[in-house]
Each structure stands twice: as structure tokens, then as C-alpha cells.
Amino acid sequence: MINVNDMNKSFGELHVLKDINMNITKGEVVVIIGPSGSGKSTLLRCLNLLEVPCDGKITFQGIDITDEKNDINKLRQNMGMVFQQFNLFPHKTVLENITLAPMKLKKINKEKAEKIAMDLLKQIGLEDKHFTYPNQLSGGQKQRIAIARALAMSPDVMLFDEPTSALDPEMVGEVLQVMKQLASDGMTMAIVTHEMGFAKEVADRVVFMDEGSIVEVAEPKKIFSNPENPRTKNFLGKVLSVS
Amino acid sequence: MDFNFLNDYFMFFIHGAKITLLLSIFTIFLGVLMGIVLALLRLSNNVVLKSISAAYIEFIRGTPLLVQLYIVYYGLPLIGIEFPDIDALGSSFPDLMSGVVALSLNSGAYVSEIIRAGIQAVEKGQMEASRSLGLTYGMSMYYIILPQAFKNILPALGNEFITIIKESAIVSIIGIHDLMYNTDIVRGNTYKPFEPLIIAAIMYFIMTFTLSRLVGFVEGRLKVSD
């Protein structure tokens, strides 16, 4: 579904992504792990062109998204994204947050858009919050609603950029639960996270990145119990010994 | 102090105040429109547009309003822009338009700086979240960024509107029959140099105070999402 070929990205002098090659197939859950500053968030943000790669090619459903002739806005409608900082729209109610894009972009009428939104809110257990403003919600609730907002466009792939990193520990579970459900429903997902337990349980493949390169790609069982690359070993040794 | 002249001139003051108000409303409207455009140009990635906007703002901020007013007043006819001489509210229409244009050109620069700061104060993630849903840059600005920016800048914007009402007094110099101009007329006619100024001050204050209450009210309404 997504193919990345020889992609490079630099911020000025800083070469943050080096010759990235990866693919995500339909229905697959790919979890990207690695130390801070390894380029995993940048990689994820390149997938929907929030960051523009310096060279290389990214195709989504066979369409080259880096080609300026293709309408990135149209393509993004099929790629949901969830951010570390939630980024809900604070001046809009929960319901308006979710219905905005479907109404403006898909021209779905208000009634139908609200029906979709309420169904999604029910799935995440927040149907009573539809008239609430984001600032009155907890972090976990915000993030679940951010997921619902992205899902309202019925995207073909969901990108998660450290969705639980800004949450209080007791709220991490509720967000991961929603993501797990999504994965078991067959959603194609790319997830940047530090939650190793979650990666182990949900991922079809785990990508380990370090210093801007993909160091190792393997099934979770393999990478967590028997990593091949010494850098992977070193990193996992550090994070797993803590948890 | 003797305010007996009010018997004859009260409506004259009111009439001046009407012109002042009219001038201010047009200026606020055009100034905000211009401010939005200048701010968006200033924030664009196009170096030429950015520089034009920046240069304009610097020029307006660096020259006196009075000079700008004269430049517009004598300059517009020179470059062939002349307004029809219809009798608008007792003041000459071309003069009135010169006043509106000069004040708007001036206010637009200040408003644009306020709006720019307001837009930049909206978290970067808001634009990213909006774009990631597939909304275009323009839609994101319109639905997501500007409403939040507007809320941030409302107090500063209110100040600017009040400034416009007060600074509009300067157009009396080009003969627009605004509150200040009419006040001067009364001072001349009645040989009372002082008392009419008190009336003018009170009338200006009523206008600015009402506006500042109004802005406060809107601010309160916008606080529901906090």
C-alpha cells in the first residue's frame, strides 16, 4: 500500500533520513521503534508529506505522492494521522472536530456526518462527550477523539506519531486499547512508539531505526527475543530492562 | 463654564460624531481586510510577496499619519483616482474617501502585524492536523487557524479599533466635517475656545468606551471553549 524507495531527508546540514526503503502492505501493522532523534517521526511524517523528502520516491496505492502533479490533499484524505500532542481543534466541540473534514471534503451532509461521528464516539466509549470542548477532556480522551477524527474520513491507512508519549501513565492503556481494536479490525497502520509491550503484541513487523537509517526489520517475536544487529540488541537491552 | 451653546449646536456635534463613526467603521472594515491580506503575504513562502508586505508595513509605521493623509489627499487625484462629488452626509464625498483610504492604508499595516502575531501564536500542530485530514492550506486557514488567531488577538484588535476612532480626528485637517472639525467650528462661532472641547472629549469617550465594552463582550462569548 505504501512504498518508500531510497528516500533521504535533511534539515539543512542535518541528514535525518538516510536511504530509507520500506513498504507497508494492506492490513499490516508496522511499528517503528528506535532511540530519540533516530528519525522515526520524520519518516512517518514523510509518508503523508508533512515533511517533504529531499529525494527518493514514496508511493501510496500506486500513486507517487512526491510528484507535485498529484493532489496531496486528495491523497491525505485516505491517510489518517494521529499526533503526539493530539492537536484537536480547541475552538470546536468534539462533534465538530470529527465532522469537519467529512463535511467539507466529502460533502457529506451534517446529519450523516454526525451519525458517523456518534458511531465512532460510541466505539471509543465517549459518546457522552460530543458537545464538550477539547480543553475539558483528559489526555487519553483527547487522543481517542483524535483517532476518531482521523477515522471519520474512513482512511485506508492510519499513521500514529507517538500517540501515547504525551499521556499520563494511567491513560496510556485506554488509547492502546482503541488502537488494538483498530488493528484487529484489519486497519493498515504505521505506528511510531516507545510502548514495547504494545509493539510485541500488535505489530506484524517491527522496524528498528537508528541515526536516520533502518537498521533491522523483523517480526516482533524475532526482534524482541533474538535481534540480529548489535545496535538493535543494545537499544532493546536498555528499554526492555526498564520495563 | 457655560454650555449654553449646546442649545444651538448639539445636533451639530451629533452630526460630526456620525461622520467620525462612519469613517471609523469603513476604516475598521477595510483595515482588517487589508491586514489579513498583508499578514498572509508576510507569512507566505514567496520571498517577493513577503518583502512587499514587510516593506509596506515598515513604511507605514515609519511615517506620520498626517503625512500619509496628505499624500493620499493630494496624491489620489494625481494618479487619476477621483471620487464622484456626491453630497454624502454634509461632507464632500471625495474628501471623505481620502480620509477612509488614508486611515485604512495606515490601519491595515498595524492590523496585519497583530494578525501575524496571532496566527503565529496558534500551535503548529493545528495546521498539521488540519492538513493531515486533507484540508487545503486555504481551508485550514479559514476553518482552523484564523478563528483561533482571532480569539488570541481580539484584545489587541479592540485597541486598534479604538485608536482608529481617536486618530480619525486628524482628518478634520483636510476638511472632513467630523466631530473634531465641527468642534473647531463651534469654538470659532461661539468664541468659546474651551467648552466645546469638553463636549468633543465626552463624545469620543462614549464611542471608544462602548466599543471597548463590545469587544469585552465578544471576548467573553469566545471563552466558552476554554
Side-chain angles (χ1 to χ4, degrees), chain A residues 28-88:
Chain A
E28 194 179 25
V29 176
V30 174
V31 172
I32 305 166
I33 59 171
S36 299
S38 58
K40 36 190 206 314
S41 282
T42 308
L43 169 57
L44 195 78
R45 290 160 57 82
C46 280
L47 298 182
N48 69 351
L49 235 56
L50 282 184
E51 301 291 352
V52 182
C54 299
D55 65 63
K57 193 169 152 184
I58 303 169
T59 60
F60 171 58
Q61 294 173 329
I63 300 164
D64 182 358
I65 68 167
T66 48
D67 186 345
E68 282 179 18
K69 283 198 288 288
N70 295 318
D71 183 2
I72 186 63
N73 298 313
K74 202 85 197 159
L75 293 165
R76 280 183 182 141
Q77 293 183 22
N78 294 320
M79 315 171 100
M81 183 147 189
V82 175
F83 299 84
Q84 182 177 355
Q85 298 297 337
F86 329 127
N87 295 341
L88 290 178

Side-chain angles (χ1 to χ4, degrees), chain B residues 83-104:
Chain B
F83 295 100
D85 202 359
I86 49 177
D87 184 37
L89 302 135
S91 199
S92 120
F93 186 68
D95 288 358
L96 198 62
M97 286 314 290
S98 294
V100 169
V101 169
L103 288 174
S104 306

Side-chain angles (χ1 to χ4, degrees), chain B residues 90-122:
Chain B
S91 199
S92 120
F93 186 68
D95 288 358
L96 198 62
M97 286 314 290
S98 294
V100 169
V101 169
L103 288 174
S104 306
L105 290 177
N106 180 274
S107 176
Y110 289 96
V111 171
S112 84
E113 284 296 273
I114 295 172
I115 292 176
R116 181 173 68 106
I119 290 174
Q120 284 176 330
V122 176

Side-chain angles (χ1 to χ4, degrees), chain B residues 34-184:
Chain B
M34 223 180 124
I36 292 173
V37 173
L38 283 171
L40 291 178
L41 291 184
R42 185 102 195 239
L43 292 172
S44 77
N45 290 324
N46 185 320
V47 183
V48 177
L49 296 178
K50 219 178 184 149
S51 314
I52 291 174
S53 172
Y56 177 81
I57 292 163
E58 287 304 327
F59 175 77
I60 292 291
R61 289 202 302 191
T63 52
L65 176 56
L66 182 57
V67 174
Q68 295 163 14
L69 180 68
Y70 276 150
I71 288 177
V72 170
Y73 184 63
Y74 292 108
L76 283 186
L78 277 185
I79 57 168
I81 299 175
E82 290 188 50
F83 295 100
D85 202 359
I86 49 177
D87 184 37
L89 302 135
S91 199
S92 120
F93 186 68
D95 288 358
L96 198 62
M97 286 314 290
S98 294
V100 169
V101 169
L103 288 174
S104 306
L105 290 177
N106 180 274
S107 176
Y110 289 96
V111 171
S112 84
E113 284 296 273
I114 295 172
I115 292 176
R116 181 173 68 106
I119 290 174
Q120 284 176 330
V122 176
E123 273 174 58
K124 217 172 130 251
Q126 292 289 309
M127 180 54 100
E128 290 183 348
S130 177
R131 295 305 303 274
S132 79
L133 287 165
L135 275 77
T136 62
Y137 177 83
M139 290 169 97
S140 304
M141 268 291 165
Y142 185 76
Y143 292 113
I144 305 301
I145 307 299
L146 287 178
Q148 292 183 58
F150 180 69
K151 193 170 136 183
N152 295 340
I153 64 178
L154 197 61
L157 217 48
N159 278 343
E160 172 62 19
F161 295 165
I162 286 166
T163 303
I164 289 172
I165 293 181
K166 294 186 297 180
E167 295 293 298
S168 75
I170 205 169
V171 303
S172 60
I173 276 184
I174 57 168
I176 295 175
H177 296 199
D178 74 331
L179 180 54
M180 192 62 223
Y181 185 92
N182 285 8
T183 304
D184 277 337

